[in-house]
Amino acid sequence: MEETLIQRLESAVTRLEGLSFSGGASAAVSGDDAPMDPSVLAFQDLIGQYVARVSAAAEKIGGQVLDVTKIVAEAFDAQKDLIIKVKQHKKPDNAGLAEFLKPLNEVITKANKMTEGRGSDFFNHLKSAADSLSALAWIAYTGKECGMSMPIAHVEESWQMAEFYNNKVLVEYKSKDPNHVEWAKAMKELYLPGLREYVKSFYPLGPVWSPTGTAVSAAPSKPKAPTPGAPAPPPAPSASLFSSDTSQASSSRPKQGMAAVFQEISSGKPVTSGLRKVTDDMKTKNRADRTGVVGTQEKEIRTSAPAVSKVGPPKFELQMGRKWAVENQIGKKDLVISECDAKQSVYIFGCKDSILQIQGKVNNITIDKCTKMAVVFQDVVAAFEIVNCNRVEVQCQGSAPTVSIDNTAGCQFYLSKDALSASITTAKSSEVNILVPGAEPDGDWGEHALPEQFIHLYKDGHFETTPVSHSAGG
């Protein structure tokens, strides 16, 4: 391995020297020489070092973990081919870029499909691997107007979401199976420092296209021959790779709730046109099967039926420039607040089975009446509050001076090293676990269960309260 690396470094030095004699390192690389370019050789070394380590750990685990790891390796191979093609082609337009990135996008789609459907015993592995592949989209960066973060920041931000699931693997298997722990650690190092340092060294401002290369063109569409007399089909909507579909404007969405009622009334149509006429035999007082006595069985059924909670319309918006409202989001795994500041607050209400990522510093964050909600955030100035929740998970990647957990059943809170001095308050809560990073950079997370039961003893005119300690002897 070391001899191969030395040979490649010597080859890279020789190539740079040749470029300097021919007019500088910025000279264009010909198509035939592209596979031997230093940036391509360095990416191959990244695959040989970091991807190989993840693959070796996956071989010991097998099953779905091995399958998704093979897809990760396939994605990195696809990216290497794209890096070579970048040096052989001119910078394309948006349509050409979509066609250029298609091979990589197909591999990423394959990984995402593994996370769909019925729950897997290795769901956290699958999500960690699939979500991490969005980091490879750094190669799609074309400038400040493209809507992406710059390449280095994009790699870091993409890994943050994947790390949420990667940490779950570390916690679950730290005392069960070292192979899974090794896989999770290797997966993180593949991106940090692996891919991040590569992008930082060669493409901090994005890919460098060849000014003299061939043009990248979009694949020609092959429309079906129209049926005689039938109207022509509308053009297919264009979709941006690596980005979720943009929602329709509110004016084009169908009206809901009372807005739909007022829209129907104002349309001029008869409001009662769709109603059925009630005849005499349908009225309750004339029905033979109805009496004034309520049967015992019927009463029991009515009283035992659970009350159906009303769910309001989903919200994801900045209100008055000060408060982010994230409400009634169900099954949304890709919620991201990217533009925020220290004067804004985030209020999360009524969400279920969703994940929210908050990129940047905000004043405070509150989770209220949520179930199976996960939040990944950077920094809070004041406090992070959890109230009236069930089974929530939170990961702090920066600092949080105060954490408050009230009337909550099931909470896992990951603290970063910068947040270890946080003041944590709990009330009427159960199954609260605080996870802290290990002493070493690659150390295991330490899990600490906060006490739920207390002993109160009356001594010297006042009560002394201590948490219940469960000894091994019972």
Side-chain angles (χ1 to χ4, degrees), residues 52-63:
R53 181 185 170 189
V54 182
S55 300
E59 290 283 352
K60 298 178 182 179
I61 299 172

Side-chain angles (χ1 to χ4, degrees), residues 238-270:
S238 60
S240 174
L241 290 174
F242 308 114
S243 64
S244 58
D245 296 337
T246 55
S247 59
Q248 297 177 351
S250 59
S251 60
S252 63
R253 294 175 180 170
K255 301 292 184 181
Q256 298 178 354
M258 290 305 297
V261 176
F262 288 122
Q263 184 182 50
E264 183 71 16
I265 293 174
S266 62
S267 64
K269 298 179 182 178

Side-chain angles (χ1 to χ4, degrees), residues 184-326:
K185 291 180 178 179
M187 182 63 71
K188 178 177 182 178
E189 292 187 9
L190 171 60
Y191 296 94
L192 306 179
L195 183 62
R196 179 187 61 189
E197 294 305 312
Y198 170 81
V199 173
K200 182 178 180 180
S201 299
F202 293 95
Y203 300 108
L205 302 179
V208 181
W209 299 86
S210 172
T212 59
T214 57
V216 178
S217 58
S221 58
K222 297 180 179 180
K224 295 182 180 179
T227 304
S238 60
S240 174
L241 290 174
F242 308 114
S243 64
S244 58
D245 296 337
T246 55
S247 59
Q248 297 177 351
S250 59
S251 60
S252 63
R253 294 175 180 170
K255 301 292 184 181
Q256 298 178 354
M258 290 305 297
V261 176
F262 288 122
Q263 184 182 50
E264 183 71 16
I265 293 174
S266 62
S267 64
K269 298 179 182 178
V271 179
T272 61
S273 60
L275 300 181
R276 295 174 59 190
K277 181 176 179 60
V278 180
T279 58
D280 287 339
D281 62 322
M282 295 172 63
K283 296 179 180 179
T284 303
K285 66 179 182 179
N286 297 330
R287 290 179 60 178
D289 60 338
R290 293 289 180 178
T291 65
V293 180
V294 179
T296 306
Q297 183 179 2
E298 182 181 357
K299 184 176 182 180
E300 290 178 354
I301 294 174
R302 290 183 180 179
T303 55
S304 62
V308 179
S309 60
K310 295 183 179 179
V311 178
K315 289 183 181 180
F316 191 85
E317 60 188 12
L318 178 62
Q319 299 176 341
M320 305 297 291
R322 301 298 295 269
K323 174 185 174 182
W324 283 95
V326 183

Side-chain angles (χ1 to χ4, degrees), residues 78 87 110 142 158-159 210 232-233 273-274 314 335-336 338 378-379 383 396 428 441 473:
K87 299 185 175 300
K110 191 189 307 183
T142 56
S158 298
W159 172 250
S210 172
S273 60
L335 301 171
V336 179
S338 58
Q378 287 286 341
D379 303 279
C396 173
K428 295 187 293 183

Side-chain angles (χ1 to χ4, degrees), residues 29-40:
V29 179
S30 66
D32 295 337
D33 293 338
M36 295 303 295
D37 186 81
S39 65
V40 178

